[in-house]
Amino acid sequence: MRGRVIRGSRNRFIIKSEAGTELDCHIKGKVLKGVEGSYNPLAPGDWVEFEEDPTCPQKGSILGLEARRNVFSRFNHKGFGRRSSAAIQQIAANVDLVCCVTTPSSPPFRPRFIDRVLLQSAIAGIPSCIILNKEDLSVDDPDIEERLLDFISIGYPLLRVSALNGKGLEGLNNYLEGKLSVFVGQSGVGKSSLINALNPKLSQRTGTLNEKYDRGNHVTSMAGLFEISSSPSNTYVIDTPGVRQLSPQGLIATDVIFYMKEFAPLAGQCSYGYSCSHVSEPGCKIMEGVAAGAIHEDRYLSFLKISEELRENINPFEYE
Ligand code: GDP
Ligand code: ZN
């Protein structure tokens, strides 16, 4: 039978069958072909082949993984050092949209984190957008506004919403309709609250930062795939565990330029062509772009930092 991964840990997964029943499944034979050695073999959104346990109808075994259309993944230091493949954590598979959920305050606005989420989405070949939640807390900060407007001018959709007072939720609902989206963001930005607000029938718990994050495994068990509205609209959202830092992976330093929207058209255009490091070379189109205001200085700093991390193989991994 065919089913979709709703949530899970390393070897136990909740699978929803095409008929709509949820089963508690293990991977048959412990190792799944094609994903041997990765930090987690399956992610919410994966389609699998499974069989029901003949003696226990709510349990089953996963037999195989269907080829993925895409996967949003991250570097995870918990797996680092054992096998390199074990450091790659699959966060969500087969998604239509990555939503970087952020806030104007509480927790503070972190544009560099947004840069990383947008970059990793581009690497995975998934369209992305920015959801600014907690609109109700908006402080008139010109720096935040400037950065948000820059994201819009680069071409990223921005949705300003408040899970608390409902502002912008109808627009968000329309935007997500018919898609499988994944919410990525630091803990406390309101990912669970938004999912609850989009479908109040979901009994997913929200809590204060401490309630949720003092209890290790609770976080993992909360993340997963949620149905916002069923057929015919088929709107789903995958919530993810809070990520404090995101180390892009799946590319080499010199490729970062291709995955940042406003940088990509300039690739190869510098006087030193593709060997330009965009730090000090004369005739560097990236630096000229920054000087002319076509590239935001902050985006340039993100670009340099990420390129350097990839070059030095530094991964500022941090887990919550
Ligand atoms: P998550 O960790 O991203 O899933 O965040 P939660 O949904 O658990 O929300 C973290 C905290 O922010 C909770 O105390 C929520 O009540 C609060 N919160 C969520 N959305 C909003 C909002 O739009 N405005 C305000 N002021 N608080 C919110
Ligand atoms: Zn250059």
Side-chain angles (χ1 to χ4, degrees), residues 35 38 40-43 46 65-71 90 93-94:
V35 285
S38 61
N40 58 328
L42 296 170
D46 264 328
L65 168 67
E66 277 186 25
R68 290 168 171 149
R69 184 156 59 88
N70 58 46
V71 60
Q90 324 292 349
N94 303 314

Side-chain angles (χ1 to χ4, degrees), residues 257 270-273 276-279 281 283-287:
I257 194 166
C270 303
S271 299
Y272 287 77
C276 185
S277 67
H278 321 294
V279 176
E281 293 89 341
C284 170
K285 293 291 169 217
I286 298 292
M287 289 164 70

Side-chain angles (χ1 to χ4, degrees), residues 54-68:
T55 58
C56 194
Q58 259 108 56
K59 292 200 187 292
S61 311
I62 297 165
L63 309 174
L65 168 67
E66 277 186 25
R68 290 168 171 149

Side-chain angles (χ1 to χ4, degrees), residues 133-134 136-137 162-164 186-193 206-207 212-213:
N133 187 36
K134 308 200 186 184
D136 53 289
L137 299 180
S162 168
L164 188 73
Q186 298 164 261
S187 74
V189 294
K191 298 181 295 297
S192 324
S193 304
T206 52
K212 256 175 86 180
Y213 292 94

